[in-house]
Structure formats: C-alpha cells, structure tokens
Amino acid sequence: MTNLAENMTRPITGNPAILDIDRIPVLEYRDFQATVQQLLETDGCHCVDYHAVPFGNILKFFCCIASDTDHRLFVCSHEQSRSSERSLDSLSVRSPSMHLYEREIAEQYGIKFPGHPWLKPVRRTDPYPFYTIDGEGLHEVGVGPIHAGVIEPGYFRFICHGERVLHLEIKLGFQHRGLEGLMTGASTEIRRAVLAERIAGDMAAGHSIAHAQLMEALAGLLPSPVLQAERVIALELERVAMHIGDTAALCTDVAYQFGQVVNEALRTIIINTTQQWCGNRFGKGIIRCGGSHYPLTEEVRRFILDNIREVDERYLMITREIFSNSSVLGRFEGTGRISALQAALIGAVGMAARSSGIGRDIRRSHPFQAYEIYPYDPVILVQGDVWARAMLRKEEVERSLAVITRLAGIAGEGPVPPPDYGRIFRGSCYAISLAEGWRGEIMHSAVTDDQGNIIHYKIKDPSFHNWMALALAVRDQEISDFPLCNKSFNLSYCGHDL
C-alpha cells in the first residue's frame, strides 16, 4: 500500500465498520483524486462506496476502497459548496471502474465531471442519449422494456451487422422506487428491515444480512455465534436455490429439457426447506437486527440436513449429464466471454468477476458473520464465458451445501434472542456493511446526525456493476445468443432501479 493512501485515508478493519465523521480525513479534491487513484491502481483494491451526502450548503463525498488482500477498508472524503462551480475532474479517466459512481452523483446532484468518457444518467431519463454507429448494413434492434415473462422492465438496444452484435446499450430505471429515501425516512427499524428484504426479492437474505449488520454496528450490538451461523445458513440456502434455478434456466435456453426439469425440482426442494423454517420460500423474516423470530429448532435443522443431502446427490448427478453433453457444451463454451481485464475495468463483482479470473468474494476478503470463524475459499475460473458462469454455479452449490452442513452443528445449540428494534444509534458517524449475496458484493452504508438519526442511507446491489459485463459479453456474438448470455449473469432490474 502506498504511503499517500496510508496517510490520506482512515484505514479500518472489520465488517461491518463504523467511523466518527470527524475522524474521516477531509481532503482537497486534488489530494482526494490522487489518493483514490493510487489505491485503485494497487493490486486487490476496488471501490465499494462513493456517494455524496447533503449537509446544508455542503455536499460531503464519502469514498470507501476495499483491499481484498489484507481485509482493510480505506475511507476518505472531500467537500464542495453546493453554491459554487459544480465541477470535479473525473476519476474515471484513470480508473474506469468509477464511471458509474460519478454518473450517479452527476444524476443526483448536477455535478459535472470533465474528462468522463460519457456522463449519461445511470437511470431512466427522456430523451436518453443512446450510442449510435453509422454504416452501411448496420441496423438497430430494440428489446423491451416490457418482456414476455413476468419480470422487471428494462430496455436493450442492439447495433448489429447482420446477426453479429457490435454494441449493446442497456437502459434501466423504469421504476425508480426511491428505496434509499424510504430507508432514510423510515419511522421504525422493523420498517427498514422489511424494506431491505424487498430491495431485490430474489436476494432477500443477502440484503437483509447487509442491513442487519449495519444497524447492529450503529447500535453497538454483536450477534452471538449461534445467530451468525443461522444467518449464514439462510444466506447459503438462498445461494443454492438461485444457482440451481439458474442452472435450470440455462438448460432451457439451450433446449436441454431434462436438465431444466430436474433442476427446477431441486430448486423447489430448497425453497420449500426455507419455507418450512420461516413460512416464506424466499427467507423473508429470518434475518432481523439483534436476534431472530425464527431460531433454528432441532426439527428444522434435521429437515434442512435431510433435504440438502438429497439435493447434493441429485444435483451432482444432473450436472454430470449437463457438462458432458456435447450439444450443451457447444452452446456454452466460448459464448459471451469477458476477459479478466474487462471485468477489472468495469469493477465487476461476484460471479461475473470470479468466472473471469478475479478472486473477488466478500466472504474471504472481508469476512462477516460466521465466515470470520470458518474461512471461505471461493471458486475462481478463468474462461469468462457462459460455460464458466454455469460451472461456477455448480461448484458454488457444492461448497454452499458443505458450509450449511458444517454450520448446522452450531445452529440451534444456544439461545437466540428476539430482534432488538429499540436501540439508540451512534451519532455523527459513517457506517458501512458488506455481504456476498449470490449475485455478488452487496453494500449498505448510513450516515447519522448528532442525535443518532439516520440522515442518509446508501445501497449498492451487485447488478450496479455487472450490467456492463453483459453489454461486453454479447459483443461479436450472434444476437440469437443474447438470451443465453443474459441468463448466464441473471442480473437484477429492481436491484439497479433503487
């Protein structure tokens, strides 16, 4: 780590992490820019949070850079008068992964970033400045925003030469829900907890853990080892269910019906297991600040173990068939490839990063909950294609089932208190919480005032970064391969449209 970065930031360890605002270095923008860029050019570092918070006539910018090698977070800030010239040299010139953060700040606060490659909105505006290419034989294809299935709206505009895709632009934000404002203004903690489960409905456990950790950091609570184990079991059950469901969907897209129906049945076993635990197939209600309404009983623990043993055996059998089928492999291998360099430049997280050779996984780099006691070794593949993203799911299911089996020996072995919704939060601080959902890195952060009231709540879903990976993956592919590429990432529209 460079001396500049060490001297100009506030290094902290732990996840979640909390800092008094007056202990976060406030830098002149030139120093801030140099510090952030040097950190991002250090191996294993990436930005997990960069956003602005209004403080009267001042905009205060918080930036948090994570080091994947030594478990630390580096926090610094800069300030700008809201009445002054609103222009800051772009960080994206040297650090392309910052382009989305700057685009979002520009969209929300009107800040200009000279040098930014294309300072267009992150979410929907009309008219939208689509990229265009002029040339003989080129044509454009628009897909969406309303799709054939019951899914969220999103618009895809392809520029093609014949069947070959030259460029894909993805326009989202059709139902900006104002979730961050709702989280900030929520009158009770139970309301925040319910909202957190609905940030992305298929990642309820992931976002709930990130939120619960954040609230516990602000309240000074430390969950017991038993509660931590139960939360990780819920998180890994969610991962298993979604990975198996996506395996089924990938089989559907290549017309391999046997793989589809078997995996759909296995996913049903997993989500019914979660329903037996808490009454909801998606795990809503399990994870709450300070405790649980659904502590793991011996009966439920045995039910979980019996079901995952069955799923483990049957999933291993069907994936052997899938990954030895020449027709399936002919569609998976070499399709929708993104390189390690491309993944690094866009700041890819989760499966999109790990399938392209980047070992980015919060469970290892900034362990949380029971992962602090039981280290996780992530699956990393290098091919970067549909095959790699499918195989990564298969390998992660096996590891997740092993994690659940191991932690089931702790879960239920001690008392778990009910949730604690009435704590007073620490005042004048910045807190950040990271979790590894099944799609990838989740970030929740909050800023409190002198009385401990939350005055700003920030959320980052892994899809925020990874939609650009899909746009890169379809370049030079036939447009008919788009559904397969799209499903291989399975990104969230609503997780992006906060």
Side-chain angles (χ1 to χ4, degrees):
M1 202 65 66
T2 65
N3 289 332
L4 176 63
E6 294 278 3
N7 295 334
M8 293 291 191
T9 65
R10 180 71 182 180
I12 49 176
T13 56
N15 178 22
I18 188 167
L19 273 174
D20 291 332
I21 290 176
D22 60 10
R23 298 187 67 189
I24 299 174
V26 180
L27 309 178
E28 294 294 328
Y29 186 73
R30 182 178 298 179
D31 292 332
F32 174 88
Q33 183 180 28
T35 300
V36 170
Q37 288 175 336
Q38 286 198 19
L39 278 167
L40 292 177
E41 290 168 3
T42 303
D43 287 343
C45 284
H46 71 287
C47 182
V48 294
D49 185 21
Y50 181 39
H51 71 277
V53 180
F55 283 84
N57 194 42
I58 296 292
L59 269 181
K60 189 175 183 69
F61 296 74
F62 294 92
C63 185
C64 182
I65 307 293
S67 170
D68 295 340
T69 57
D70 64 8
H71 309 309
R72 288 192 292 176
L73 300 170
F74 297 86
V75 183
C76 60
S77 68
H78 68 89
E79 296 178 351
Q80 185 184 30
S81 171
R82 300 185 73 177
S83 59
S84 64
E85 174 64 28
R86 309 179 77 174
S87 179
L88 299 168
D89 290 341
S90 176
L91 294 164
S92 304
V93 176
R94 278 177 53 182
S95 305
S97 62
M98 298 298 288
H99 81 102
L100 271 167
Y101 294 109
E102 292 185 330
R103 286 170 55 190
E104 186 177 52
I105 291 169
E107 184 177 24
Q108 293 178 343
Y109 299 106
I111 304 293
K112 295 180 175 63
F113 290 97
H116 193 286
W118 200 354
L119 202 62
K120 62 171 62 183
V122 174
R123 300 181 176 92
R124 181 175 178 253
T125 61
D126 290 313
Y128 188 83
F130 282 103
Y131 182 70
T132 60
I133 304 176
D134 295 325
E136 186 176 350
L138 300 184
H139 64 282
E140 294 183 351
V141 179
V143 178
I146 306 303
H147 301 279
V150 185
I151 63 174
E152 306 290 336
Y155 180 68
F156 302 85
R157 180 175 288 190
F158 300 84
I159 301 175
C160 300
H161 185 267
E163 292 293 305
R164 185 167 64 95
V165 177
L166 301 183
H167 180 76
L168 166 61
E169 187 151 3
I170 304 169
K171 177 184 178 184
L172 303 171
F174 285 87
Q175 52 175 18
H176 189 198
R177 296 173 291 160
L179 255 170
E180 292 173 340
L182 291 173
M183 295 291 278
T184 301
S187 56
T188 62
E189 173 49 31
I190 183 61
R191 178 169 172 78
R192 283 197 190 92
V194 171
L195 285 169
E197 293 172 333
R198 285 151 177 79
I199 293 167
D202 57 6
M203 210 156 62
H207 277 287
S208 291
I209 282 183
H211 170 73
Q213 291 179 160
L214 188 68
M215 297 300 99
E216 287 163 354
L218 290 170
L221 291 173
L222 180 64
S224 69
V226 172
L227 180 57
Q228 292 184 38
E230 293 184 6
R231 287 174 173 177
V232 170
I233 289 173
L235 180 67
E236 295 301 334
L237 281 172
E238 179 174 84
R239 194 183 316 276
V240 169
M242 294 309 303
H243 281 350
I244 293 178
D246 283 349
T247 306
L250 287 166
C251 290
T252 302
D253 282 346
V254 298
Y256 185 49
Q257 189 177 24
F258 179 52
Q260 172 197 346
V261 296
V262 172
N263 280 290
E264 285 176 346
L266 295 179
R267 174 183 178 271
T268 298
I269 292 174
I270 295 297
I271 62 177
N272 285 350
T273 301
T274 303
Q275 184 175 36
Q276 179 71 17
W277 182 358
C278 70
N280 184 278
R281 294 188 301 165
F282 299 104
K284 294 178 179 178
I286 289 181
I287 299 167
R288 291 289 186 265
C289 177
S292 176
H293 291 299
Y294 301 99
L296 204 59
T297 64
E298 180 59 25
E299 178 184 0
V300 173
R301 191 177 72 87
R302 287 199 305 269
F303 185 74
I304 291 173
L305 290 173
D306 289 343
N307 282 357
I308 65 172
R309 275 193 290 268
E310 178 184 358
V311 168
D312 194 9
E313 179 180 349
R314 292 172 60 186
Y315 187 66
L316 180 61
M317 293 172 62
I318 189 58
T319 51
R320 284 174 179 165
E321 295 294 325
I322 292 169
F323 290 104
S324 63
N325 185 297
S326 58
S327 297
V328 172
L329 295 178
R331 293 293 307 281
F332 282 7
E333 291 178 340
T335 302
R337 177 177 284 123
I338 63 169
S339 67
L341 176 60
Q342 288 174 314
L345 289 174
I346 65 172
V349 298
M351 290 185 298
R354 294 193 294 277
S355 61
S356 294
I358 298 176
R360 187 166 291 163
D361 192 314
I362 294 300
R363 290 171 291 180
R364 179 178 69 177
S365 65
H366 296 81
F368 57 99
Q369 302 297 314
Y371 299 115
E372 290 192 76
I373 303 172
Y374 299 102
Y376 183 84
D377 185 23
V379 180
I380 303 168
L381 302 175
V382 299
Q383 291 87 338
D385 55 5
V386 170
W387 178 89
R389 293 186 285 276
M391 179 59 75
L392 193 80
R393 285 173 166 84
K394 182 253 184 190
E395 297 289 337
E396 288 202 347
V397 165
E398 294 178 4
R399 295 199 185 184
S400 293
L401 292 174
V403 168
I404 294 168
T405 301
R406 185 176 190 181
L407 292 180
I410 301 173
E413 293 300 317
V416 172
D420 188 340
Y421 299 125
R423 289 293 186 105
I424 303 299
F425 293 152
R426 181 166 152 184
S428 300
C429 67
Y430 164 85
I432 185 167
S433 170
L434 303 172
E436 187 72 23
W438 69 267
R439 280 194 182 95
E441 175 184 293
I442 299 168
M443 188 284 303
H444 286 217
S445 68
V447 175
T448 60
D449 64 13
D450 293 343
Q451 287 74 46
N453 301 308
I454 294 176
I455 59 172
H456 196 85
Y457 197 104
K458 185 66 185 166
I459 303 162
K460 190 187 72 176
D461 185 88
S463 299
F464 180 76
H465 294 289
N466 288 349
W467 278 111
M468 182 60 74
L470 173 61
L472 294 174
V474 299
R475 288 185 181 178
D476 289 324
Q477 299 292 141
E478 292 187 4
I479 193 170
S480 57
D481 280 330
F482 168 69
L484 179 60
C485 292
N486 189 12
K487 180 50 65 178
S488 73
F489 290 98
N490 192 11
L491 303 174
S492 175
Y493 299 87
C494 61
H496 180 280
D497 296 350
L498 298 172

